[in-house]
Amino acid sequence: MIDIPQLLFYAAALSGCAGLLYTGVLLIVALASVFAPTPERRKDARTTLSIFVRRRSR
């Protein structure tokens, strides 16, 4: 049977990995929005980035 500290460790490790993966995806999309060769692709990348970030004005 798994004890609680070990379960908490695995949950924290999984959360950390998910956060790093999400940050990596955001970085790739941000770079694509800057370095895409055509204006249409840059606009699509910026739109995708805004969907990922989802900042709402107050």
Side-chain angles (χ1 to χ4, degrees), residues 23-39:
T23 302
V25 168
L26 284 179
L27 179 65
I28 290 169
V29 173
L31 288 174
S33 71
V34 173
F35 295 115
T38 62

Side-chain angles (χ1 to χ4, degrees), residues 17-55:
C17 289
L20 287 175
L21 180 65
Y22 186 72
T23 302
V25 168
L26 284 179
L27 179 65
I28 290 169
V29 173
L31 288 174
S33 71
V34 173
F35 295 115
T38 62
E40 293 87 18
R41 287 188 182 174
R42 285 192 296 269
K43 182 180 177 202
D44 290 342
R46 282 192 301 269
T47 303
T48 304
L49 186 61
S50 69
I51 290 170
F52 278 139
V53 174
R54 288 194 191 227
R55 291 189 179 179

